[in-house]
Amino acid sequence: MVKLNFSSEDKLLLYCSRLSIDDFIDLKIREILNECLDWNYILECSIRQRVSPLFYWNLRKISNGSVVPDEVMKSLEKIYYSNLARNILFYDELSKILTAFKKAGIDTIVLKGALLAEEIYKNVGLRLMSDIDL
């Protein structure tokens, strides 16, 4: 069995980039937050891996922002709310399209990001989307 050696920063990203956090993972996150971390690396990786909104959401709940540098939390918060606003616009347009298709008798299935954001994430701000697939 191969054992992977992740940095504390990578572990934090992995632990906070999930939809549900159980008590064990919560404890692991809190332990990591007590370490000296490279927050610039964490922020850059969360952006590159496209998990910033979900990472922010969970990090905010667990840390209350107390151990995370203010500028990092502000950057993550800005990413989250920008994504939420963009996704709300996507869903507004999607609603118009689906209404028009229904009136025209066109059966439509929403796929990928838009479906996942509502059905799996339960918060349209947590899933990054760049388009809507039908």
Side-chain angles (χ1 to χ4, degrees):
M1 183 171 163
V2 176
K3 183 172 178 168
L4 301 175
N5 291 318
F6 291 108
S7 68
S8 292
E9 290 84 359
D10 291 328
K11 288 178 186 176
L12 182 64
L13 282 162
L14 287 168
Y15 291 147
C16 287
S17 299
R18 53 183 67 208
L19 293 174
S20 65
I21 295 177
D22 61 23
D23 291 339
F24 176 77
I25 296 298
D26 184 278
L27 179 62
K28 291 290 188 185
I29 292 169
R30 290 176 193 281
E31 287 173 359
I32 293 170
L33 288 173
N34 287 321
E35 298 177 22
C36 183
L37 299 168
D38 182 347
W39 286 102
N40 288 329
Y41 171 82
I42 293 169
L43 181 59
E44 289 172 15
C45 282
S46 76
I47 293 167
R48 189 173 55 251
Q49 297 299 324
R50 299 182 49 82
V51 296
S52 299
L54 184 57
F55 178 72
Y56 163 74
W57 188 258
N58 287 321
L59 188 62
R60 181 183 59 103
K61 284 192 299 188
I62 291 171
S63 76
N64 294 322
S66 59
V67 296
V68 181
D70 285 342
E71 66 274 4
V72 172
M73 282 307 282
K74 286 178 184 173
S75 293
L76 288 167
E77 181 180 45
K78 182 178 178 184
I79 292 167
Y80 170 77
Y81 283 108
S82 294
N83 186 61
L84 177 62
R86 184 177 49 254
N87 285 358
I88 288 170
L89 292 174
F90 274 139
Y91 278 98
D92 184 53
E93 290 301 313
L94 176 61
S95 176
K96 293 173 187 174
I97 292 167
L98 292 176
T99 299
F101 281 9
K102 186 174 183 178
K103 285 181 183 176
I106 301 170
D107 292 329
T108 310
I109 298 173
V110 178
L111 302 171
K112 297 173 21 181
L115 177 68
L116 290 171
E118 278 192 314
E119 297 297 320
I120 304 299
Y121 287 73
K122 306 292 188 200
N123 175 338
V124 298
L126 298 180
R127 176 84 158 95
L128 287 169
M129 297 188 302
S130 56
D131 62 6
I132 293 182
D133 298 293
L134 303 175

